[in-house]
Amino acid sequence: MNEYDSDRILDIANEAGYTPTNNLLETDCYVLNTCHIREKATEKVYDDIGRIKKKFRNQKKPILLVTGCVAQAESDEMIKRSNYIDGVIGPQSYHLLPEIIKKIENKNKINLTEFDTIDKFDKLNTIRNSNSKVSTFLTIQEGCDKFCNFCVVPYTRGPEFSRPIFEILSEAKQLIENGSKEIILLGQNVNAYHYKNYKLSNLIHELNNLKGLERIRFTTSHPKDMTDDLIETYSTCNKLMPSLHLPVQSGSSKILKLMNRKHNINDYLYIIEKLKRKNPLIKFTSDFIIGYPGENQSDFNSTIDLIKKIKFINSYSFIFSSRPGTPASNLKSEQIEILKERLKIFQKESDKIKINYRNHLVNKNSQVLFENKLENQEKYFGRNEYGDPVIVESKTDLTGKILKVKINHFNKNSLFGEIENNNKRDFAA
Ligand code: SAM
Ligand code: SF4
């Protein structure tokens, strides 16, 4: 979502007379867009500010704004700690950038951390989304009312808000006109999307009918909102890709309860089963928190059992990070050495599953949507149906094309292959 926000900040800054630059020494205004989901984010911001300060030691100071969830959480404290910062702007206030910059040019310091989500999107709707990436993000929902005990999102992004469906479709059409072929719908709880009688499933159906759009994905979903109508779209909407990121966090129902996740492992397994029934090609990715307070060896073993059972093709794992202000912030986990060991075991196991999955793709065909040429190389980068990175050599421009690619080999990051001559579409099952 920060990537979407950063692109929109650029669109708004454009309106205020600014253009993007790679020339870091001739920059008039820096916007540090930040994430607060795990610790160390705040210190990273101050490190970046230190680097910018050093660069401009003998020059006129640029305007420096901190946006995003660190700004929201730290608020005034940031300006007190570093007077190099001119403005602290929460994720629901960046639409006010032109006015903010004017005030800063008049030597005012700014702190804007209200939750004005409706105002923000009203303003964003008046500015064309200029993003022309082949695969592009589109925010449809923000905020969260679920309050998992470990998570800062409800406090930094605010309550759940869903954008009106006609605004989303209008922005999607802009993106398609700009050349986008794939839209990834975004929300902290994307499947909690509801506007009047429209749910995420209705939106996917509408997008499925848009000419020029080839692929649809959505992220991040909460298991509790994986309703039957949404599950059904995996068999009725041909543009919806057969992969789903469905964070589970732990394989132990006891830990899920302590986390206030509002689902247990049986609920999760039932959802997976229903999805597979609707589309047997579907594959899953997930997030895991290792060492949540109360997790013992047996709970951890249940997490390992779960990844072996579901065979997630990608697992994102993090050691529990205590976030100030959340209910879990004062709870004690096991010793850090034990948690690091568990993380190592988890990642070894999830890597094995991933390698096994990728081995099955070798010598088979994948449908790849090509996104861009690699810098200074005659190679193109794209993604298969499951979102795996694929690289092929080509002298002709492949950008924006969906082509059948025979996968030859892979490494930790990417799959490698060659374009098949007979380019008829089918899936690598
Ligand atoms: N809404 C999604 C859901 O309910 O699963 C998750 C969104 S959250 C912004 C992204 C991921 O960050 C989570 O799935 C979780 O694994 C991780 N995360 C959030 N808070 C964390 C914490 N305090 N410590 C470690 N990981 C955390
Ligand atoms: Fe955070 Fe997701 Fe839980 Fe909301 S549902 S509190 S975003 S982890």
Side-chain angles (χ1 to χ4, degrees), residues 37-38 150 188 220 222 247 249 261 287 289 319 321 323:
I37 199 79
R38 281 179 294 277
F150 53 82
Q188 268 87 36
T220 295
H222 189 285
Q249 314 299 352
R261 278 295 286 180
D287 293 344
I289 295 181
I319 289 179
S321 167
R323 309 308 293 126

